[in-house]
Amino acid sequence: MIISRLFAVAFGLLALNTTISAQTKNTIVAALAAEGEVLDPTRSIGGADQYFIGQMFEQLVRFDPNLKMVNWLAESWSIEGTADKPIIDVHLRKGVNFHNGDPLTSADFEFSYERLRDPKISRFSYTQANVERFEIVDNHHFKLHFKAPDGNYIPNALQLWAIPKKYFEKAGEEGFAKAPVGTGPWKFVSRSIKEDLKLAAFDDYWNKDARPKVKNLVLKIIPDDVTRLAAFKSGAVDWIDAVPLSEVNEIKKMPGVAAFTAVSRNNLYIDFPAHKPDSPFSKLKVRQAVAHAVDVDAIIKSVLFGQGERYVEVGMGEAGYDPNLQAYPYDVKKAKELLAEAGYPNGFETPCYNLITPREPNVKEMGEAVFAYLGTVGIRCKVQGLEYLAWSNLAYRGLGHPEMDGIMPLMWAHGLPGDPGEPWSGMLHSFIPGTGFGAVSHSEDPKADAMVEALKNTMNPEKRVELIKQIARYKHERVLGGVTTYRPIITLAWRDDIAFRPWPWPGLWRQFQEASFKE
């Protein structure tokens, strides 16, 4: 492979010297392939933001390294009220402080709730749509009153982030964005956009059993695979994410290196403007042609070096996973026949938008492969490469940006262990301005809308699983919300004189919750 040859020429027999850290025993230097756009959790755009946010900010509950939901800033919580109007009753931990010394109180979560529900601030305002009111009982006790059940709320970490109300109101939007303050194990020091984020361990961090034991953390942004891996091999950085897929086996065999491989919480799919009546993709047979035209298994094998897990609507291990639901088989002849039946015997031309920021390993090359496969059946792509923010803005609706009008590989995390309820509210349900429904949806189907709304209003786990299976079957048959493809398998690597335990969320396995140098 090209990358392997480059390393062979550039580094020869260079071995990793485990006796030297990137800087000192007081600092861990990590290299990330992708950079978060914002430092304010409420203004989060997508998963890459969690690489930064997840170090500094925390939620009421979280998933531990074993994918078990554990109480975090919530000492305890329970569901009360009635089946029609549930109440989530939360008791906060006492003795939790923000980085600036302010104590965490219920008022901070009320402030977080008010910001998150405001569509002018948050792209995820719909997550609070069923919350009728926020009741503060005392400084460490509050209740969320729901006007209708919301089964999506609990699987997504009870949604709310701890935001310091007093500090935010003093610093203002701009000040908070430049110098964020949270309760997490790491506190903000400085940021140089496209270069690095510098953090310091929070000495007054509440969790004495799961905290870093090193003073400083530097998150360097190195998008280029060759450069990032070269920095790791030379000892310039201690830790890297997104190990180049062609180099995973080599890295795992290197002396002095520890590695971790896991399924990402991201679910990738190929989307198109099925909601536009004048678009070819409004026709079912065209959407089915796309599904038959792309050999996803071959892309996983060749482009992703096997580092991808095929999924059909719902991933293995997620709530509602159905092993009987099978992907559309790769069939060029069938795809061409479907296009002809849809009125496009000679195919057609369409814009095709490709993410070129390495949000997931080889995502740019994956998109290029998808477009090449489509070309073989007559769907001719006019390809435009987009950086992460531009790509995200094109996908979202109602922001005042130009709307997506062609083929676009997209992604929306179902989480780990995984529940598709929230993603389907955003990318399958029809777009309804001001509600959050359909925020990234390019489909319009009343039956799918009703099913997604029923799922959102279902909190019973068994009923929820059956509804997910029903939606998945209908979504698959109608090819709504795009063509599902794969979940990336990512590999992280670090020097083995570092103790690092990956946590799945927040931070997408990249959270330095307990990082330290070994004695």
Side-chain angles (χ1 to χ4, degrees):
M1 292 296 169
I2 294 174
I3 292 178
S4 297
R5 291 198 296 271
L6 284 171
F7 279 118
V9 172
F11 300 105
L13 299 177
L14 179 64
L16 182 67
N17 182 350
T18 60
T19 65
I20 305 173
S21 83
Q23 290 188 5
T24 72
K25 287 292 186 178
N26 291 326
T27 301
I28 290 177
V29 181
L32 299 171
E35 179 179 24
E37 293 291 336
V38 298
L39 300 181
D40 178 351
T42 314
R43 292 190 177 276
S44 176
I45 295 169
D49 292 328
Q50 302 305 324
Y51 302 170
F52 289 176
I53 290 169
Q55 317 299 336
M56 299 179 286
F57 292 91
E58 298 180 306
Q59 294 175 292
L60 294 164
V61 300
R62 71 185 297 188
F63 289 95
D64 71 9
N66 298 314
L67 301 181
K68 178 184 176 182
M69 182 180 280
V70 295
N71 292 341
W72 208 246
L73 295 182
E75 185 174 65
S76 66
W77 61 277
S78 60
I79 300 176
E80 301 176 351
T82 65
D84 293 334
K85 300 189 73 173
I87 298 169
I88 295 181
D89 186 271
V90 179
H91 290 264
L92 294 177
R93 293 186 187 277
K94 295 179 180 178
V96 177
N97 292 327
F98 286 102
H99 300 151
N100 67 339
D102 290 346
L104 173 69
T105 70
S106 298
D108 298 306
F109 274 105
E110 181 184 43
F111 180 69
S112 174
Y113 159 72
E114 293 292 349
R115 294 189 75 235
L116 189 58
R117 70 195 291 261
D118 184 350
K120 296 178 182 178
I121 300 173
S122 168
R123 296 193 183 196
F124 300 94
S125 60
Y126 62 90
T127 63
Q128 308 304 312
N130 282 8
V131 180
E132 188 170 40
R133 65 186 176 94
F134 189 110
E135 178 193 359
I136 294 179
V137 180
D138 60 40
N139 278 345
H140 296 92
H141 182 195
F142 66 83
K143 296 183 180 185
L144 292 165
H145 294 259
F146 288 77
K147 59 186 177 183
D150 193 336
N152 297 343
Y153 211 88
I154 294 171
N156 289 283
L158 299 187
Q159 305 290 353
L160 301 176
W161 295 89
I163 306 289
K165 180 181 179 180
K166 290 181 181 178
Y167 172 78
F168 190 100
E169 291 177 339
K170 181 179 179 180
E173 289 271 355
E174 186 175 347
F176 186 79
K178 291 181 178 179
V181 167
T183 63
W186 297 97
K187 61 182 182 179
F188 178 83
V189 175
S190 67
R191 182 190 183 189
S192 297
I193 294 175
K194 295 190 176 181
E195 292 185 19
D196 62 37
L197 174 69
K198 293 179 180 177
L199 302 165
F202 181 30
D203 292 337
D204 197 25
Y205 183 56
W206 65 272
N207 193 328
K208 308 305 179 186
D209 297 323
R211 61 181 301 158
K213 296 178 182 178
V214 63
K215 291 184 178 181
N216 305 301
L217 174 64
V218 179
L219 301 178
K220 297 183 70 69
I221 308 304
I222 309 179
D224 182 73
D225 283 349
V226 173
T227 306
R228 189 170 64 260
L229 192 49
F232 181 64
K233 286 189 171 186
S234 68
V237 301
D238 300 304
W239 182 104
I240 58 171
D241 76 343
V243 171
L245 301 181
S246 62
E247 304 298 321
V248 168
N249 290 334
E250 177 191 339
I251 284 292
K252 289 183 176 181
K253 293 176 183 177
M254 286 180 63
V257 170
F260 170 81
T261 295
V263 175
S264 164
R265 67 186 297 275
N266 234 345
N267 295 57
L268 277 67
Y269 59 101
I270 305 164
D271 208 2
F272 26 65
H275 65 297
K276 294 187 175 183
D278 59 345
S279 168
F281 302 103
S282 65
K283 299 182 178 181
L284 174 58
K285 289 185 177 181
V286 172
R287 302 196 299 272
Q288 290 173 330
V290 173
H292 283 293
V294 180
D295 191 343
V296 177
D297 292 325
I299 290 175
I300 291 173
K301 180 179 179 180
S302 300
V303 179
L304 304 179
F305 296 85
Q307 301 299 296
E309 179 184 274
R310 188 77 186 269
Y311 82 103
V312 183
E313 310 306 337
V314 177
M316 184 167 52
E318 292 186 46
Y321 169 67
D322 185 354
N324 296 317
L325 202 59
Q326 299 296 308
Y328 286 86
Y330 173 56
D331 190 331
V332 172
K333 181 180 178 182
K334 180 67 173 177
K336 289 181 176 179
E337 289 174 352
L338 286 165
L339 286 177
E341 291 170 9
Y344 303 98
N346 300 315
F348 57 87
E349 194 173 76
T350 182
C352 291
Y353 302 98
N354 199 26
L355 176 61
I356 61 176
T357 301
R359 170 64 182 85
E360 295 289 358
N362 287 19
V363 70
K364 173 178 175 289
E365 292 77 7
M366 178 275 295
E368 292 169 347
V370 167
F371 302 152
Y373 274 115
L374 293 174
T376 65
V377 302
I379 301 176
R380 298 177 295 278
C381 282
K382 297 183 292 182
V383 179
Q384 181 178 347
L386 300 175
E387 295 285 355
Y388 183 74
L389 182 58
W391 171 83
S392 177
N393 284 340
L394 185 63
Y396 274 89
R397 308 212 21 215
L399 297 181
H401 305 292
E403 291 196 354
M404 194 264 283
D405 58 352
I407 293 279
M408 191 172 180
L410 288 174
M411 59 188 78
W412 192 311
H414 289 196
L416 292 171
D419 186 293
E422 182 184 342
W424 285 350
S425 291
M427 48 79 72
L428 174 59
H429 192 288
S430 300
F431 176 56
I432 304 178
T435 66
F437 273 126
V440 189
S441 174
H442 304 98
S443 296
E444 270 188 18
D445 187 287
K447 183 175 179 179
D449 292 351
M451 296 170 80
V452 168
E453 290 170 18
L455 177 62
K456 181 177 176 65
N457 292 336
T458 300
M459 300 185 80
N460 179 281
E462 290 77 19
K463 292 181 180 179
R464 192 171 176 81
V465 163
E466 185 52 42
L467 272 172
I468 290 172
K469 289 182 177 180
Q470 292 175 17
I471 297 171
R473 287 192 291 270
Y474 184 73
K475 179 179 182 300
H476 190 58
E477 291 167 0
R478 300 292 299 172
V479 197
L480 297 170
V483 176
T484 54
T485 55
Y486 70 99
R487 299 197 294 179
I489 295 174
I490 61 167
T491 296
L492 317 174
W494 59 93
R495 306 166 66 86
D496 68 0
D497 60 342
I498 290 174
F500 174 78
R501 187 164 72 134
W503 289 62
W505 176 261
L508 307 173
W509 299 116
R510 295 160 173 86
Q511 217 268 0
F512 289 78
Q513 181 72 36
E514 303 168 282
S516 66
F517 282 99
K518 295 178 180 178
E519 298 296 333

